[in-house]
């Protein structure tokens, strides 16, 4: 008999291509996580359509409806808790959560970043890397802590910058990697294969 899957809420603000990769993975019989909710801060997000197409419940927590970051964050966490989620997966979620989220979901919030942290944190990571002239950039999956793009790193993979790359070219190749690795990391977390000791994350391959 299959063991229970880890219930997960995905937080997304935009196109949701990473969400789609996670939805596709969760359709596989042996995937360890189940996406029980998709929560967005943007009513028009394409991610919400992807969730609806997959039959996953959606919830909008509109930033404009909250007085401050703490009440917004609590509303996000409340929505996740109501759905039964034990883990939050940030997939192109463009709001910074208050530390109250880390108190409520300790070592249970994942983020994916289109760069090799700690280089080029923030929303313009791909453009910043190109402008700096790096030859190698990549993908980082990490646990979320109190600081932006800072928490313990779970996995990184290099993506080479090609001569003449535009931001779009480079981001497209980065996203191909993201779509492969994010489901792998979530599956590892769900199967209890990630052990966290301070900033060190050990991935025990089963
Ligand atoms: C991804 O490149 C991710 O690394 C960053 O935001 C982007 C989201 O893309 N955090 P999508 O909405 O999953 O297509």
């Amino acid at each position: 008999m299959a063991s229970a899957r880890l219930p997960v809420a995905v937080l997304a603000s935009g196109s949701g291509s990473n969400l789609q990769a996670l939805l596709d993975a969760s359709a596989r019989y042996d995937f360890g996580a189940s996406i029980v909710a998709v929560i967005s801060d943007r009513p028009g997000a394409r991610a919400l359509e992807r969730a609806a197409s997959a039959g996953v419940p959606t919830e909008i927590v509109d930033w404009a409806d909250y007085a401050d970051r703490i009440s917004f964050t609590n509303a996000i966490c409340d929505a996740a808790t109501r759905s039964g989620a034990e883990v939050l997966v940030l997939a192109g979620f463009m709001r910074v959560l208050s530390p109250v989220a880390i108190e409520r979901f300790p070592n249970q919030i994942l983020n994916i970043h289109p760069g090799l942290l700690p280089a080029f944190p923030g929303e313009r990571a791909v453009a910043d890397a190109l402008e700096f002239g790096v030859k190698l950039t990549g993908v980082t999956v990490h646990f979320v802590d109190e600081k932006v793009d800072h928490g313990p790193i779970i996995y990184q993979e290099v993506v080479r910058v090609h001569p003449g790359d535009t931001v779009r070219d480079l981001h497209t190749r980065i996203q191909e990697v993201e779509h492969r690795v994010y489901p792998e990391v979530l599956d590892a977390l769900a199967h209890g294969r990630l052990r966290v000791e301070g900033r060190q994350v050990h991935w025990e391959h089963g």
Side-chain angles (χ1 to χ4, degrees), residues 12-20 47 50 90-94 111-115 122-123 126 139-140 149 171 174-175 178-179 182:
S13 305
S15 93
S17 69
N18 278 285
L19 165 67
Q20 190 65 57
R50 294 181 190 269
L90 275 51
F93 188 65
M94 303 310 280
N111 185 40
I112 192 159
H113 181 76
E123 285 181 24
V126 180
V139 173
T140 302
D149 295 334
H171 202 177
I174 286 173
Q175 288 215 307
E178 291 184 336
H179 299 162
Y182 216 6

Side-chain angles (χ1 to χ4, degrees), residues 88-105:
L88 307 185
V89 174
L90 275 51
F93 188 65
M94 303 310 280
R95 297 284 175 190
V96 176
L97 294 172
S98 147
V100 74
I102 292 109
E103 287 167 26
R104 292 182 60 171
F105 292 88

Side-chain angles (χ1 to χ4, degrees), residues 19-44:
L19 165 67
Q20 190 65 57
L22 295 167
L23 289 167
D24 293 347
S26 68
R28 296 198 311 259
Y29 79 97
D30 59 344
F31 192 69
S34 165
I35 300 170
V36 295
V38 171
I39 304 169
S40 183
D41 59 312
R42 295 193 186 160

